[in-house]
Amino acid sequence: MTENFTLLFLAAFTLTLAARLWLKLRQIRHVAAHRNAVPAEFAERISLASHQKAAAYTIDRSRTAILGTLSEAMLLLAFTLGGGLAALHGLWSAQFGGLAYGLAMIFSVVFISGLIDLPLSLYSQFVVEARHGFNRMTPALFVSDLVKQTLLGLAIGAPVLAVVLWLMDAMGEHWWLWVWLFWSAFNLLMLFIYPTWIAPLFNKFTPLPEGEAKTRIEALLDRCGFRSNGLFVMDGSKRSAHGNAYFTGFGDNKRIVFFDTLLARLTPGEIEAVLAHELGHFRKKHIVQRIALMFAGSLAFLWLLGQLLDAPWFYAGLGVPAQGTALALILFFLVVPVFLFPLAPLSSRWSRRHEFEADAYAAAHADAGELVRALVKLYEDNASTLTPDPLHSLFHDSHPPAAQRIAQLKLKEQLA
Ligand SMILES: [Zn+2]
């Protein structure tokens, strides 16, 4: 059983790694092959120079993603069959027992992964993003973000993990149900406190100023029967030139947040149309569906982990000569993504259907033409490629290709 599991893991690992690299190479080839002509449906709106800028940016990012995939894969092998977890276990089990041992194991893995990831995130922010004019972050801000994230991760992560490890030990064979209840409650709490307690640690939020945009947004919210706990502008420009708009919180704690970069670029009519799209996600219950899927998924995974916890082959098959709750958690979260990759197209397809539904909602409650203009601007400003490789897109794109979205919206515009 142990050897079979090792072979199964290695087969899934190799296939997933090969598929990920192959898809990125396809993406690079496809974008490069189409870099010299703007697709016909965009020819009037997007210049060749912008199209080529988007191609260069996409190719650069795909190359960085290849490095990331390779380093992630090597780290996974080093932790498991390479003996990394076995060595950490030897180190910490000699010092601590019980909870302290569990926390030391988990935090070591998180810390080492973060450390290995650091050069690439520096490269991506200060070389790739900077080269294409998107980086607004200073090295000092990068460091202060990193320090804040680490402290926050420790302050929240340590007690949460301690409770999870304790439940796994103390609750008998149905521990996974207890962990699930705790985990779900914790996630709901985080959704609730994130906008008011955590996001302000990283960004400034100011009320949306009076003006045409605000008047139109309030009229739209009225029309759609939507209540929120305020409209805010976030200083996204302190980190990046990329723009966005989003909802956060839930219940009466809902906020609508616009990046300052988005407001600076779009007209009031376009902002209204973008918000109508976001409202569409809300009204069509996409957000609730996502949360429900997350809860169902974590229940299934915790049940599965419950089955593996006492299986010697699960540990030995992954190169770990010991058993226990912390080791099981670590192995599970390291190894599960390798087996889940083939499901990525399902999740992308689901999310794309939601995008079409949100676009249809926006077309019904605001102006489809304004949304098209906003989308074209956002594609251009964010240097998103208009010519993605179809197979890469199937696995990785949560949004439908620009041409498809715009064609659907134009149809709606003609019908209106
Ligand atoms: Zn959307």
Side-chain angles (χ1 to χ4, degrees), residues 277-278 281 355 399:
H277 170 98
E278 295 303 322
H281 282 308
E355 293 307 323
H399 285 62

Side-chain angles (χ1 to χ4, degrees), residues 7 99-100 108 113 133 160 171 220 237 269-270 309 321 354 380:
L7 287 176
L99 268 183
S108 315
S113 309
V160 167
M171 287 300 159
L220 171 74
S237 58
E270 290 162 358
L309 187 64
H354 286 175
E380 188 173 7

Side-chain angles (χ1 to χ4, degrees), residues 44-106:
E44 287 167 23
R45 300 162 189 262
I46 288 185
S47 68
L48 182 62
S50 294
H51 179 65
Q52 290 181 332
K53 176 176 162 21
Y57 180 56
T58 306
I59 291 171
D60 239 9
R61 291 222 317 175
S62 303
R63 287 193 178 130
T64 317
I66 288 178
L67 291 178
T69 301
L70 285 172
S71 95
E72 211 176 275
M74 292 309 110
L75 187 66
L76 173 59
L77 275 192
F79 271 138
T80 53
L81 301 176
L85 285 177
L88 285 173
H89 168 77
L91 176 72
W92 292 125
S93 62
Q95 312 277 334
F96 307 117
L99 268 183
Y101 158 81
L103 290 178
M105 280 300 291
I106 292 172

Side-chain angles (χ1 to χ4, degrees), residues 135-197:
N135 178 45
R136 298 274 176 83
M137 212 181 219
T138 59
L141 182 60
F142 188 90
V143 173
S144 101
D145 276 1
L146 194 65
V147 170
K148 277 191 222 167
Q149 280 157 2
T150 308
L151 293 177
L152 201 64
L154 281 171
I156 298 178
V160 167
L161 281 170
V163 173
V164 168
L165 290 171
W166 176 77
L167 287 170
M168 289 176 83
D169 260 338
M171 287 300 159
E173 64 168 326
H174 292 305
W175 63 264
W176 49 273
L177 205 55
W178 290 96
V179 170
W180 181 71
L181 286 172
F182 170 71
W183 181 244
S184 302
F186 167 71
N187 270 291
L188 286 177
L189 180 73
M190 287 303 288
L191 281 174
F192 202 73
I193 65 170
Y194 182 83
T196 29
W197 294 94

Side-chain angles (χ1 to χ4, degrees), residues 329-345:
L329 270 181
I330 294 169
L331 283 174
F332 192 71
F333 285 103
L334 284 177
V335 163
V336 151
V338 164
F339 292 96
L340 286 187
F341 183 70
L343 296 181

